[in-house]
Amino acid sequence: ILNVEQSPQSLHVQEGDSTNFTCSFPSSNFYALHWYRWETAKSPEALFVMTLNGDEKKKGRISATLNTKEGYSYLYIKGSQPEDSATYLCAFNQNTGNQFYFGTGTSLTVIP
Amino acid sequence: DAMVIQNPRYQVTQFGKPVTLSCSQTLNHNVMYWYQQKSSQAPKLLFHYYDKDFNNEADTPDNFQSRRPNTSFCFLDIRSPGLGDAAMYLCATSRSPGFGYTFGSGTRLTVV
């Protein structure tokens, strides 16, 4: 079992604040890193798939970066809104297999 | 919309009483996965089907079985649920192994 760590475990921010959290993963045999947003009572929704070292992806106010050499990815949310409240899961898979390894998630609460 | 549907959303079962969770998909994806997520832990892969080929994770208890009668449906059978099997069970699909997942909204299982 490969260890994927996410920090912090939970986060409360005020509406309008910007925030970021981290996903750390083993850097060997890297294939892809995935970010998902999981709102309560809904399905986890794919945000980004990142494959190349130095990748930066953006979707509205949310962006992500990837460093495969040191084994981490950052997710940034600019100007947080209450609808951003969710658990953000990262998962990575290696080029030696098909399984996704998930982190425990970061639970974000945006306070109006 | 093409999607992954899990039923029921919440399931309460008695200790030792067999229970079946279901997952269906309209995406025509080749791979279907079952994950177990316990509180504050990362989703853990139980098994997956690649077409009709069943792949069991080495540490998945024998108490857990799965069936995939056709491309669209996949079932998780828990033969004798224990208190430790209470968890969120997530079904996911992907076009091929290693591709990004589409998730269902999960079934939360309570064992009483």
Side-chain angles (χ1 to χ4, degrees):
Chain A
I1 295 178
L2 300 175
N3 204 30
V4 178
E5 294 186 357
Q6 290 189 247
S7 63
Q9 188 171 348
S10 66
L11 193 56
H12 289 71
V13 300
Q14 289 291 138
E15 181 175 354
D17 286 352
S18 294
T19 187
N20 65 85
F21 20 94
T22 308
C23 173
S24 303
F25 51 86
S27 55
S28 59
N29 302 316
F30 176 86
Y31 183 73
L33 190 283
H34 305 253
W35 281 101
Y36 292 89
R37 175 170 59 202
W38 192 5
E39 295 178 69
T40 303
K42 294 186 178 179
S43 309
E45 170 200 356
L47 287 175
F48 304 114
V49 181
M50 308 173 79
T51 56
L52 297 176
N53 185 44
D55 254 356
E56 291 188 30
K57 296 272 177 105
K58 187 174 180 182
K59 185 187 268 190
R61 294 178 291 99
I62 305 177
S63 60
T65 61
L66 179 66
N67 183 322
T68 61
K69 294 187 188 308
E70 296 181 43
Y72 65 83
S73 175
Y74 292 137
L75 189 79
Y76 301 90
I77 303 178
K78 185 178 177 182
S80 303
Q81 299 296 308
E83 59 264 29
D84 296 329
S85 298
T87 295
Y88 291 82
L89 279 173
C90 73
F92 102 110
N93 56 322
Q94 295 182 305
N95 57 18
T96 54
N98 303 314
Q99 181 178 171
F100 281 28
Y101 296 91
F102 283 87
T104 54
T106 292
S107 173
L108 173 68
T109 303
V110 182
I111 304 163
Chain B
D1 285 341
M3 54 180 29
V4 180
I5 300 169
Q6 288 188 245
N7 284 308
R9 178 71 63 86
Y10 299 95
Q11 175 75 57
V12 180
T13 192
Q14 289 182 324
F15 182 94
K17 184 176 180 181
V19 65
T20 295
L21 311 182
S22 75
C23 178
S24 64
Q25 55 132 340
T26 59
L27 297 157
N28 208 33
H29 281 174
N30 292 316
V31 194
M32 295 187 79
Y33 306 84
W34 279 105
Y35 278 83
Q36 178 195 61
Q37 186 187 30
K38 296 186 179 180
S39 182
S40 301
Q41 295 184 21
K44 177 182 174 301
L45 182 64
L46 295 172
F47 24 60
H48 73 276
Y49 274 94
Y50 185 10
D51 290 330
K52 295 181 181 178
D53 291 335
F54 176 71
N55 298 271
N56 196 37
E57 293 303 298
D59 57 352
T60 297
D62 292 339
N63 199 22
F64 290 81
Q65 304 286 321
S66 185
R67 297 170 282 136
R68 190 179 185 186
N70 53 53
T71 301
S72 301
F73 284 88
C74 195
F75 300 99
L76 169 62
D77 300 309
I78 309 177
R79 290 191 298 191
S80 182
L83 297 178
D85 297 326
M88 171 70 80
Y89 290 87
L90 279 169
C91 172
T93 71
S94 67
R95 191 171 27 162
S96 283
F99 276 66
Y101 289 1
T102 302
F103 282 96
S105 54
T107 294
R108 184 166 294 284
L109 179 69
T110 301
V111 182
V112 296

